[in-house]
């Protein structure tokens, strides 16, 4: 079976843009030029070359870059992340899709690296803010965060941030992206299907190149990246983006 940046998952305890950001654009006093690579995927599919290339692109554009390895990507890290005021966040994380008949309960879960236990975070499990998730049948379960966690459990605000969620299915349904927008993000970029780690890493490098070096808007950079690479060769995923205008961009992907 081809590995993907998504995963099979088991869920318990589920109860229940303003202007597009342009590199160097917007209100220069609103948020500093800071970025973070949240690399939960390093626990299963590490890629130091991607981390190095992304960091080089960001620092060349004047960003201070933080790197968070998978073992530090726990529930508490996600809770406090908005208060760190990053202008660009790369979530290199596993994700899984939670589906119910109710369209309001169809969304992508973002994995942590924290082992799951029913004795921990009990209120957040009960309130549908956290879930149990596994990479594949038989793997040790981990905590995962839901849109309710993003909306109600986090501190601070993603005010003006651009979020790039590199894992699978982040925009198959709108719930997760909308939660980040509701908490102040200006744009959310992710995939409409499952995606392989190699493709999402390469596509994110292209996306950063178009955003930072070429000065394209989020909308343009997403479209250009899809033209550069075409869809994921294994699953057919293409990048998409949402902003506070609720505009969703799903450009036709053609390789050249």
């Amino acid at each position: 079976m081809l590995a993907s940046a998504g995963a099979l998952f088991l869920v318990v305890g589920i109860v229940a843009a303003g202007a597009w950001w342009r590199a160097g654009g917007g209100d220069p006093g609103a948020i500093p030029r800071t970025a973070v690579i949240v690399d939960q995927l390093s626990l299963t599919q590490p890629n130091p070359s991607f981390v190095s290339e992304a960091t080089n692109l960001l620092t060349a554009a004047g960003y201070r870059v933080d790197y968070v390895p998978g073992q530090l990507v726990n529930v508490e890290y996600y809770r406090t992340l908005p208060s760190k005021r990053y202008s660009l966040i790369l979530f290199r994380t596993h994700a899984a899709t939670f589906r119910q008949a109710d369209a309001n309960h169809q969304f992508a879960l973002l994995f942590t690296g924290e082992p799951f236990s029913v004795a921990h975070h009990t209120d957040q499990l009960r309130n549908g803010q956290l879930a149990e998730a596994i990479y594949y049948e038989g793997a040790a379960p981990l905590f995962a965060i839901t849109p309710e966690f993003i909306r109600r459990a986090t501190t601070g605000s993603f005010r003006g941030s651009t979020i790039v969620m590199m894992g699978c299915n982040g925009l198959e349904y709108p719930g997760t992206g909308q939660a980040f927008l509701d908490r102040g993000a200006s744009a959310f970029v992710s995939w409409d299907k499952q995606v392989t780690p190699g493709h999402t890493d390469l596509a994110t490098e292209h996306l950063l190149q178009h955003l930072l070096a070429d000065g394209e808007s989020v909308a343009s950079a997403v479209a250009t990246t899809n033209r550069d690479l075409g869809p994921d060769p294994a699953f057919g995923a293409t990048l998409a983006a949402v902003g506070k205008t609720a505009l969703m961009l799903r450009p036709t992907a053609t390789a050249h």
Side-chain angles (χ1 to χ4, degrees), residues 21 35-39 50 54 58 78 81 86-93 110 158 161-168 170-171 176-177 180 185-191 200-201 203-208 211-212 218 221-222 225 239-242:
W21 173 85
V36 62
I37 302 170
V38 181
D39 197 6
F50 165 78
L58 287 159
Y78 277 113
L81 180 57
Y86 290 109
S87 47
L88 179 61
I89 299 173
L90 302 181
F91 283 117
R92 188 174 185 267
T93 66
L110 274 67
F158 289 108
S161 299
T162 294
I163 311 291
V164 180
M165 210 290 276
M166 298 171 59
C168 298
L171 279 171
T176 302
F180 281 103
S186 63
F188 179 86
V189 178
S190 193
W191 297 94
T200 194
D201 286 347
T204 303
E205 291 175 15
H206 279 247
L207 182 73
L208 291 175
L211 281 172
L212 303 174
V218 171
V222 166
T225 298
L239 277 178
V242 290

Side-chain angles (χ1 to χ4, degrees), residues 59-108:
T59 54
Y63 284 77
R64 190 200 78 221
V65 183
D66 292 337
Y67 174 78
V68 183
Q71 61 268 29
L72 299 182
V73 184
N74 54 26
V75 171
E76 178 64 11
Y77 179 80
Y78 277 113
R79 188 185 72 79
T80 61
L81 180 57
S83 64
K84 301 181 191 302
R85 300 296 313 281
Y86 290 109
S87 47
L88 179 61
I89 299 173
L90 302 181
F91 283 117
R92 188 174 185 267
T93 66
H94 278 289
T97 303
F98 175 76
R99 297 180 179 90
Q100 284 186 347
D102 179 359
N104 292 325
H105 291 91
Q106 297 174 335
F107 47 77

Side-chain angles (χ1 to χ4, degrees), residues 39 41-42 44-53 67 92 197-198 200-202 205:
D39 197 6
L41 201 60
S42 68
T44 55
Q45 279 109 3
N47 187 350
S49 294
F50 165 78
V51 175
S52 176
E53 179 63 20
Y67 174 78
R92 188 174 185 267
T200 194
D201 286 347
L202 181 60
E205 291 175 15

Side-chain angles (χ1 to χ4, degrees), residues 125-240:
L125 282 170
R126 188 180 305 114
N127 293 334
Q129 296 173 355
L130 295 175
E132 178 185 3
I134 58 174
Y135 297 127
Y136 51 83
E137 197 66 39
L142 300 170
F143 279 104
I145 68 167
T146 74
E148 276 299 294
F149 182 93
I150 297 164
R151 287 192 181 93
R152 306 194 182 281
T154 54
T155 61
S157 169
F158 289 108
R159 185 174 62 187
S161 299
T162 294
I163 311 291
V164 180
M165 210 290 276
M166 298 171 59
C168 298
N169 308 99
L171 279 171
E172 181 180 8
Y173 300 106
T176 302
Q178 188 60 52
F180 281 103
L181 299 179
D182 290 346
R183 295 291 289 126
S186 63
F188 179 86
V189 178
S190 193
W191 297 94
D192 61 358
K193 297 182 180 72
Q194 280 185 279
V195 63
T196 51
H199 189 77
T200 194
D201 286 347
L202 181 60
T204 303
E205 291 175 15
H206 279 247
L207 182 73
L208 291 175
Q209 172 70 31
H210 297 310
L211 281 172
L212 303 174
D214 301 340
E216 296 185 31
S217 68
V218 171
S220 177
V222 166
T224 307
T225 298
N226 281 327
R227 288 196 299 270
D228 289 346
L229 301 177
D232 177 82
F235 300 108
T238 58
L239 277 178

